[in-house]
Amino acid sequence: MSRSFINLLLVLSTFLALGQSKPIDLHPKDSVEYKQSYGLRAGIDISRIITSSLDDNYKGLEFVADYRLTQNLYLAAELGSEEKTRQEDLYNFTTNGSYIKIGIDKNNYFNWYGERNMIYMGGRIAYSSFDNTLNNYQYFDTNRYWNPDDFATGSTEAEEFSGLSATWIEGVFGTKVELLSNIYVGASIRLGLILSQKEDERFPNLWVPGFNKVTWDSNFGVGYNFSISYFIPFYKKKNKAKKKTENSTEPQGPPPRPNEGL
């Protein structure tokens, strides 16, 4: 009986010695690593498709995409083509061309772990190449004796002005929300400023694909899009969330959703 008791004391003493040999960390750090998906989100602007089906004087198509670079920074681009016919007081013209926009979006929305929703601000540098066709025009005449009901006809023969272009910058504000798994709907408004353009001396650029209407006294333009896109994950990147301790003022990372794995 005494021998068994002595052996038990020896075993307990050994465990106590091993336990005391390891220092006790009074401020343990959270080593949980959260993985977030990085990849390409690509889609199409459905507002241009809807407008094309409702307006006989417009045809347009735009592809949209963004690629996640960091936690809140995205490389973004739009590529499209548009054709627009406009009737002004004295002339009718058609503009036809394509454009590309490249820039950065900064997400300002605080997502829960696993979310990729966005409320963002961004910028673009854009370029458009297009042609103008003057379909017909009339002469402005203050003397309406010979044409009391309308202005005199100048020409009904179409004249084309090709090799035109424009470069501009855009400020973008928008949102993208996950509607279904990896399927997002987005909307944005854009304020553009033309930096340079190539136009014909006989007929100015009054409408630029991707930019919208150009006025005589201003280089500013306003646009928008409404998109649907699909997220293609390429890899997952670890993001370590640190818990706030008594002596730390660092903000805590977003907690995982209930029943959601890493």
Side-chain angles (χ1 to χ4, degrees):
M1 182 71 179
S2 60
R3 182 178 295 178
S4 299
F5 182 73
I6 293 173
N7 291 334
L8 180 60
L9 288 177
L10 291 174
V11 173
L12 292 175
S13 300
T14 303
F15 279 109
L16 288 173
L18 290 175
Q20 292 178 357
S21 64
K22 296 182 180 180
I24 299 176
D25 189 359
L26 298 178
H27 301 287
K29 295 181 179 179
D30 182 16
S31 61
V32 178
E33 292 178 321
Y34 301 103
K35 294 182 179 179
Q36 297 192 4
S37 296
Y38 285 68
L40 177 68
R41 182 165 36 196
I44 193 169
D45 178 13
I46 60 176
S47 67
R48 284 172 167 77
I49 297 177
I50 295 174
T51 304
S52 298
S53 63
L54 298 178
D55 188 354
D56 294 336
N57 293 320
Y58 176 84
K59 294 180 181 179
L61 181 65
E62 179 180 279
F63 298 98
V64 300
D66 64 55
Y67 182 81
R68 190 177 188 180
L69 298 174
T70 66
Q71 180 79 7
N72 294 312
L73 199 62
Y74 292 75
L75 177 66
E78 292 86 25
L79 176 66
S81 64
E82 289 184 305
E83 179 181 312
K84 176 75 172 179
T85 298
R86 293 186 58 191
Q87 176 63 55
E88 300 293 341
D89 292 336
L90 295 175
Y91 52 87
N92 178 285
F93 71 96
T94 300
T95 302
N96 181 24
S98 57
Y99 60 90
I100 184 172
K101 306 176 183 181
I102 299 176
I104 294 292
D105 289 335
K106 173 65 167 55
N107 186 20
N108 299 299
Y109 179 74
F110 185 81
N111 283 297
W112 287 84
Y113 170 68
E115 289 184 335
R116 293 179 296 272
N117 297 326
M118 297 179 65
I119 297 177
Y120 64 91
M121 297 181 66
R124 302 284 188 276
I125 180 71
Y127 174 80
S128 177
S129 176
F130 55 95
D131 300 330
N132 278 329
T133 300
L134 181 61
N135 300 314
N136 58 70
Y137 64 91
Q138 296 172 292
Y139 290 115
F140 177 79
D141 189 359
T142 56
N143 184 359
R144 306 305 299 277
Y145 179 80
W146 299 106
N147 297 280
D149 297 327
D150 203 354
F151 293 106
T153 300
S155 176
T156 57
E157 184 176 350
E159 184 178 1
E160 184 174 345
F161 307 94
S162 58
L164 310 175
S165 64
T167 302
W168 69 94
I169 55 174
E170 281 185 352
V172 184
F173 177 77
T175 181
K176 292 182 181 179
V177 179
E178 188 173 17
L179 185 64
L180 299 172
S181 178
N182 290 334
I183 297 178
Y184 290 78
V185 292
S188 69
I189 55 175
R190 292 139 186 275
L191 177 63
L193 172 63
I194 289 183
L195 301 178
S196 64
Q197 58 179 324
K198 180 181 179 182
E199 57 185 349
D200 195 281
E201 295 181 354
R202 295 170 295 170
F203 191 75
N205 298 334
L206 301 177
W207 196 86
V208 175
F211 180 84
N212 216 329
K213 183 179 179 180
V214 181
T215 59
W216 293 92
D217 56 349
S218 175
N219 288 330
F220 286 95
V222 178
Y224 68 94
N225 73 357
F226 185 79
S227 64
I228 183 168
S229 55
Y230 183 80
F231 177 73
I232 307 171
F234 290 161
Y235 64 94
K236 288 189 175 182
K237 185 177 179 181
K238 297 179 180 179
N239 295 279
K240 182 176 291 186
K242 297 182 179 180
K243 288 186 177 179
K244 186 176 181 180
T245 61
E246 294 180 359
N247 299 325
S248 174
T249 58
E250 295 182 0
Q252 299 183 36
R257 283 183 168 182
N259 302 325
E260 183 171 10
L262 297 180

